[in-house]
PDB file of all heavy atoms in Angstrom:
ATOM      1  N   TRP A 762     -17.426   3.686  23.752  1.00  0.00           N
ATOM      2  CA  TRP A 762     -16.744   3.138  24.920  1.00  0.00           C
ATOM      3  C   TRP A 762     -16.741   1.615  24.880  1.00  0.00           C
ATOM      4  O   TRP A 762     -16.121   1.035  25.784  1.00  0.00           O
ATOM      5  CB  TRP A 762     -17.432   3.700  26.096  1.00  0.00           C
ATOM      6  CG  TRP A 762     -17.354   5.127  26.146  1.00  0.00           C
ATOM      7  CD1 TRP A 762     -16.187   5.918  26.362  1.00  0.00           C
ATOM      8  CD2 TRP A 762     -18.406   6.121  25.836  1.00  0.00           C
ATOM      9  NE1 TRP A 762     -16.515   7.328  26.255  1.00  0.00           N
ATOM     10  CE2 TRP A 762     -17.833   7.450  25.863  1.00  0.00           C
ATOM     11  CE3 TRP A 762     -19.737   6.054  25.549  1.00  0.00           C
ATOM     12  CZ2 TRP A 762     -18.576   8.619  25.618  1.00  0.00           C
ATOM     13  CZ3 TRP A 762     -20.451   7.188  25.328  1.00  0.00           C
ATOM     14  CH2 TRP A 762     -19.931   8.454  25.413  1.00  0.00           C
ATOM     15  N   GLU A 763     -17.265   1.136  23.841  1.00  0.00           N
ATOM     16  CA  GLU A 763     -17.082  -0.324  23.558  1.00  0.00           C
ATOM     17  C   GLU A 763     -16.015  -0.571  22.481  1.00  0.00           C
ATOM     18  O   GLU A 763     -15.722  -1.671  22.074  1.00  0.00           O
ATOM     19  CB  GLU A 763     -18.367  -1.003  23.014  1.00  0.00           C
ATOM     20  CG  GLU A 763     -19.507  -0.949  24.075  1.00  0.00           C
ATOM     21  CD  GLU A 763     -20.747  -1.384  23.559  1.00  0.00           C
ATOM     22  OE1 GLU A 763     -21.064  -1.260  22.272  1.00  0.00           O
ATOM     23  OE2 GLU A 763     -21.690  -2.016  24.293  1.00  0.00           O
ATOM     24  N   CYS A 764     -15.362   0.596  22.082  1.00  0.00           N
ATOM     25  CA  CYS A 764     -14.309   0.578  21.036  1.00  0.00           C
ATOM     26  C   CYS A 764     -14.900  -0.055  19.716  1.00  0.00           C
ATOM     27  O   CYS A 764     -14.097  -0.562  18.956  1.00  0.00           O
ATOM     28  CB  CYS A 764     -13.066  -0.181  21.518  1.00  0.00           C
ATOM     29  SG  CYS A 764     -12.160   0.665  22.782  1.00  0.00           S
ATOM     30  N   PHE A 765     -16.193   0.051  19.574  1.00  0.00           N
ATOM     31  CA  PHE A 765     -16.838  -0.442  18.350  1.00  0.00           C
ATOM     32  C   PHE A 765     -16.429  -1.912  18.121  1.00  0.00           C
ATOM     33  O   PHE A 765     -16.392  -2.390  16.956  1.00  0.00           O
ATOM     34  CB  PHE A 765     -16.510   0.390  17.221  1.00  0.00           C
ATOM     35  CG  PHE A 765     -17.034   1.726  17.360  1.00  0.00           C
ATOM     36  CD1 PHE A 765     -16.067   2.852  17.488  1.00  0.00           C
ATOM     37  CD2 PHE A 765     -18.333   2.137  17.362  1.00  0.00           C
ATOM     38  CE1 PHE A 765     -16.495   4.095  17.627  1.00  0.00           C
ATOM     39  CE2 PHE A 765     -18.782   3.475  17.451  1.00  0.00           C
ATOM     40  CZ  PHE A 765     -17.800   4.440  17.654  1.00  0.00           C
ATOM     41  N   GLY A 766     -16.135  -2.734  19.236  1.00  0.00           N
ATOM     42  CA  GLY A 766     -15.821  -4.077  19.125  1.00  0.00           C
ATOM     43  C   GLY A 766     -14.315  -4.324  18.937  1.00  0.00           C
ATOM     44  O   GLY A 766     -13.873  -5.466  18.780  1.00  0.00           O
ATOM     45  N   ALA A 767     -13.496  -3.309  18.747  1.00  0.00           N
ATOM     46  CA  ALA A 767     -12.100  -3.447  18.527  1.00  0.00           C
ATOM     47  C   ALA A 767     -11.371  -4.144  19.706  1.00  0.00           C
ATOM     48  O   ALA A 767     -11.671  -3.899  20.871  1.00  0.00           O
ATOM     49  CB  ALA A 767     -11.461  -2.102  18.231  1.00  0.00           C
ATOM     50  N   PRO A 768     -10.371  -5.045  19.395  1.00  0.00           N
ATOM     51  CA  PRO A 768      -9.633  -5.723  20.470  1.00  0.00           C
ATOM     52  C   PRO A 768      -8.427  -5.019  20.980  1.00  0.00           C
ATOM     53  O   PRO A 768      -7.744  -5.530  21.842  1.00  0.00           O
ATOM     54  CB  PRO A 768      -9.192  -7.038  19.715  1.00  0.00           C
ATOM     55  CG  PRO A 768      -9.012  -6.550  18.254  1.00  0.00           C
ATOM     56  CD  PRO A 768      -9.973  -5.509  18.065  1.00  0.00           C
ATOM     57  N   ALA A 769      -8.175  -3.795  20.461  1.00  0.00           N
ATOM     58  CA  ALA A 769      -7.042  -3.019  20.990  1.00  0.00           C
ATOM     59  C   ALA A 769      -7.364  -1.527  20.957  1.00  0.00           C
ATOM     60  O   ALA A 769      -8.233  -1.144  20.132  1.00  0.00           O
ATOM     61  CB  ALA A 769      -5.797  -3.288  20.031  1.00  0.00           C
ATOM     62  N   ALA A 770      -6.738  -0.847  21.921  1.00  0.00           N
ATOM     63  CA  ALA A 770      -6.968   0.620  21.918  1.00  0.00           C
ATOM     64  C   ALA A 770      -5.767   1.286  22.314  1.00  0.00           C
ATOM     65  O   ALA A 770      -4.852   0.704  23.036  1.00  0.00           O
ATOM     66  CB  ALA A 770      -8.168   0.928  22.911  1.00  0.00           C
ATOM     67  N   LEU A 771      -5.502   2.488  21.871  1.00  0.00           N
ATOM     68  CA  LEU A 771      -4.447   3.345  22.202  1.00  0.00           C
ATOM     69  C   LEU A 771      -5.052   4.603  22.883  1.00  0.00           C
ATOM     70  O   LEU A 771      -5.994   5.159  22.423  1.00  0.00           O
ATOM     71  CB  LEU A 771      -3.607   3.729  20.974  1.00  0.00           C
ATOM     72  CG  LEU A 771      -2.433   4.712  21.236  1.00  0.00           C
ATOM     73  CD1 LEU A 771      -1.328   4.387  20.036  1.00  0.00           C
ATOM     74  CD2 LEU A 771      -2.864   6.203  21.094  1.00  0.00           C
ATOM     75  N   PHE A 772      -4.452   4.937  24.081  1.00  0.00           N
ATOM     76  CA  PHE A 772      -4.791   6.116  24.770  1.00  0.00           C
ATOM     77  C   PHE A 772      -3.663   7.159  24.733  1.00  0.00           C
ATOM     78  O   PHE A 772      -2.508   6.815  25.189  1.00  0.00           O
ATOM     79  CB  PHE A 772      -5.279   5.810  26.162  1.00  0.00           C
ATOM     80  CG  PHE A 772      -6.493   4.929  26.202  1.00  0.00           C
ATOM     81  CD1 PHE A 772      -6.366   3.576  26.186  1.00  0.00           C
ATOM     82  CD2 PHE A 772      -7.776   5.576  26.171  1.00  0.00           C
ATOM     83  CE1 PHE A 772      -7.630   2.794  26.207  1.00  0.00           C
ATOM     84  CE2 PHE A 772      -8.925   4.751  26.175  1.00  0.00           C
ATOM     85  CZ  PHE A 772      -8.816   3.382  26.168  1.00  0.00           C
ATOM     86  N   CYS A 773      -3.952   8.302  24.226  1.00  0.00           N
ATOM     87  CA  CYS A 773      -2.840   9.281  24.039  1.00  0.00           C
ATOM     88  C   CYS A 773      -2.855  10.441  24.993  1.00  0.00           C
ATOM     89  O   CYS A 773      -3.943  11.110  25.076  1.00  0.00           O
ATOM     90  CB  CYS A 773      -2.893   9.768  22.553  1.00  0.00           C
ATOM     91  SG  CYS A 773      -1.394  10.731  22.167  1.00  0.00           S
TER      92      CYS A 773
END
Side-chain angles (χ1 to χ4, degrees):
W762 300 290
E763 295 173 334
C764 291
F765 301 109
L771 178 150
F772 295 91
C773 191

